[in-house]
Amino acid sequence: MYSIGPLTCAPGERAEGLIPVGTSTYGVELGIPLIVVNGTQPGPVLCVDAGVHGDEYDGQEAVRRVVAETDPASLRGTLVGIPCMNTPAFEAAARSSGLDHLNLNRIFPGDPEGSYSLRLAATFVEQVVPVIDALVDLHTGGTFGEIAPLTIVQAGYEDLASGIGLAAGHELIWKGGKWGGTVRHPTLAAGKPAVTIEVGGATYREENVELHVVAVRNIMRQLGMVDGEPGLRDSYTAVTGTFARSASGGFFVAYAEPGETCKGGDPIAKVVDHYGHTLEEISAPQDGIVLWVRRMRTVHPGDEVVIFGAVEGEIRP
Ligand SMILES: [Zn+2]
């Protein structure tokens, strides 16, 4: 019998329900929705989450599809799907929670005495992390931008997380990042592999849902949960990200697409005023790869406009 939060799931069975975190002002129970598929044979517990940012939709649908298509009769181990971690942010159609306006992916491990997002993070750390063996966290570029398909393997945890990171199948491996507080951090700190997979942006696209589904299935093969060999690439490109921010407010115009290679000094984007006069030009700080490009045309001083990837080297599995 597998137990997570208030749910139990016998071998060969499915279960679904909520880990409670709090209630809305209108009395509805809020929490972490879970779908569990428990295999008939022993194996690892893989948790796949999406919706840490409420405006990132492709991964949420991918979680539901992977879970629905997983047959407990042939599964080794247990698959735990969290289709939407941050339900208040989803309800607000926003990156951050409408309840406390916190970015959930910067506040782990949270605080059980804090506001809703802090309690949500703490609940995940207390009730989910101890009963899983690996975590795959699905994202997109969000409402404001579009990101090239890539996998974030936290720098310093390469030995722990590279196995599932390479099995995700994307050529770009982002050695993220200097910021803490992501859902990966408490999971990695508990000695469990955790990666984030990014693709797409605000516009929901079937091809991006499919990329997430294929990545999760391949990680399940790599973990031995389902039959088949993980289709690894011959070579991966490790990058580190640099955020470019605009100094001017205005209308944002991009020349480069996510995934495009660029040379240092190449024009990447500009900010214009309502009359079409150029206020600012953004150029590539070094040779590398454009990872994320702003899609929201309204830009304020200090907004993120581009994330550049500097190539750190090649990874051969
Ligand atoms: Zn995100």
Side-chain angles (χ1 to χ4, degrees):
M1 187 74 78
Y2 178 72
S3 296
I4 181 167
L7 298 189
T8 55
C9 189
E13 298 290 331
R14 294 171 182 274
E16 62 185 48
L18 202 68
I19 299 181
V21 178
T23 51
S24 73
T25 56
Y26 41 93
V28 170
E29 193 168 51
L30 300 175
I32 304 171
L34 299 174
I35 317 169
V36 179
V37 185
N38 195 3
T40 51
Q41 301 160 68
V45 179
L46 173 65
C47 178
V48 184
D49 79 84
V52 164
H53 294 132
D55 60 346
E56 301 178 7
Y57 301 112
D58 309 58
Q60 299 183 37
E61 180 60 12
V63 169
R64 284 188 284 272
R65 286 191 197 172
V66 168
V67 168
E69 290 165 7
T70 298
D71 179 4
S74 59
L75 179 67
R76 290 181 284 273
T78 305
L79 181 63
V80 175
I82 301 177
C84 185
M85 181 90 81
N86 193 349
T87 54
F90 174 78
E91 186 174 349
R95 180 174 178 82
S96 298
S97 172
L99 297 180
D100 53 21
H101 308 288
L102 294 175
N103 176 354
L104 180 60
N105 218 27
R106 296 292 181 274
I107 60 168
F108 280 89
D111 176 358
E113 303 294 316
S115 64
Y116 183 84
S117 299
L118 290 158
R119 286 168 190 252
L120 173 59
T123 301
F124 180 87
V125 172
E126 285 162 17
Q127 298 194 38
V128 177
V129 172
V131 294
I132 64 172
D133 298 313
L135 176 73
V136 176
D137 172 46
L138 303 180
H139 286 248
T140 79
T143 299
F144 287 86
E146 185 172 351
I147 194 162
L150 58 84
T151 305
I152 304 179
V153 174
Q154 193 67 39
Y157 290 98
E158 291 90 342
D159 289 348
L160 189 57
S162 287
I164 62 171
L166 301 189
H170 298 310
E171 191 209 328
L172 294 175
I173 302 292
W174 182 355
K175 297 296 194 72
K178 292 187 184 70
W179 59 92
T182 75
V183 68
R184 296 186 303 277
H185 283 84
T187 313
L188 290 163
K192 300 172 182 192
V195 293
T196 293
I197 306 174
E198 301 264 8
V199 61
T203 305
Y204 175 94
R205 293 192 194 283
E206 278 296 325
E207 66 244 44
N208 293 336
V209 177
E210 188 59 22
L211 279 173
H212 274 327
V213 167
V214 167
V216 173
R217 284 214 192 99
N218 214 35
I219 288 169
M220 291 174 72
R221 286 188 202 101
Q222 199 263 347
L223 291 171
M225 300 174 74
V226 291
D227 288 339
E229 289 295 310
L232 296 180
R233 289 172 183 267
D234 295 336
S235 162
Y236 297 78
T237 304
V239 295
T240 54
T242 306
F243 291 75
R245 294 175 185 278
S246 59
S248 314
F251 187 100
F252 178 73
V253 179
Y255 309 129
E257 288 293 310
E260 217 172 283
T261 54
C262 57
K263 295 212 173 305
D266 279 357
I268 298 294
K270 65 179 178 180
V271 178
V272 301
D273 67 14
H274 291 302
Y275 306 99
H277 305 301
T278 298
L279 302 172
E280 183 178 349
E281 279 187 304
I282 295 115
S283 52
Q286 76 271 314
D287 293 0
I289 298 163
V290 176
L291 300 182
W292 180 96
V293 178
R294 187 178 186 84
R295 292 296 193 209
M296 185 69 77
R297 297 300 147 182
T298 306
V299 62
H300 303 111
D303 279 349
E304 289 169 7
V305 291
V306 181
I307 304 175
F308 295 103
V311 176
E312 215 188 36
E314 189 188 25
I315 303 171
R316 287 190 168 271

